[in-house]
Amino acid sequence: MSAPIMPAQIMQVAEHLWDQYAENINHGFIDKIVVDPMVANAIGQAGLNLIVERYEAMIQAPVKMNGGGPGHINIYPTFKPIGRRGVAAVEPAINKKDKVARPPNAFILYRQFHHGKIVAQHPELHNNQICKIS
């Protein structure tokens, strides 16, 4: 059975909605998606299925969808692995392309600036010894 064809604009809304949820999941802000009833009506069952499929692909685990509060749709993992401290936690899959690198600290910047000069002055030194000099 194939999913009903969604108009392109509704598919874009569902994709945008998923992007917002995925960002919050990746940052650890949420592990359960709660879709407002008006939004659920706007994107339809096919849009909700798209979100479920993307969530399953992201966490590589089954996801369940059911009604929550008054008209809300809850989308959540069916299995929550136990974390190191015994607290249930879902490990979000972080795409390395989406991850922003941390900026270098002051020592790293200082060392990068002076490393070449020290190597030029003392070519016989090993990198560990150069680090002590800088």
Side-chain angles (χ1 to χ4, degrees):
M1 180 189 319
S2 63
I5 298 173
M6 293 177 54
Q9 291 175 335
I10 294 176
M11 178 61 94
Q12 289 175 344
V13 170
E15 288 282 353
H16 179 70
L17 187 62
W18 165 248
D19 289 341
Q20 297 298 313
Y21 288 135
E23 186 173 335
N24 286 330
I25 292 166
N26 278 332
H27 290 346
F29 298 142
I30 62 171
D31 66 347
K32 177 175 82 170
I33 298 172
V34 179
V35 182
D36 185 85
M38 291 177 59
V39 174
N41 287 336
I43 64 174
Q45 188 63 42
L48 292 170
N49 289 341
L50 172 90
I51 293 171
V52 168
E53 290 170 10
R54 297 287 166 86
Y55 197 4
E56 287 177 336
M58 173 189 270
I59 65 170
Q60 298 177 352
V63 172
K64 189 173 183 179
M65 176 172 54
N66 65 15
H72 288 85
I73 305 293
N74 293 325
I75 303 172
Y76 56 92
T78 57
F79 174 75
K80 293 184 180 185
I82 301 298
R84 283 180 280 159
R85 296 187 180 120
V87 177
V90 174
E91 298 281 336
I94 297 175
N95 189 353
K96 291 191 179 198
K97 293 178 186 175
D98 295 339
K99 187 175 179 184
V100 177
R102 290 176 59 185
N105 64 24
F107 175 74
I108 298 296
L109 293 173
Y110 173 83
R111 188 176 167 278
Q112 286 175 345
F113 182 77
H114 290 287
H115 186 79
K117 294 177 187 176
I118 295 172
V119 170
Q121 293 171 356
H122 306 284
E124 72 284 352
L125 292 180
H126 188 268
N127 195 35
N128 292 346
Q129 297 163 331
I130 293 172
C131 288
K132 292 177 185 177
I133 292 174
S134 17

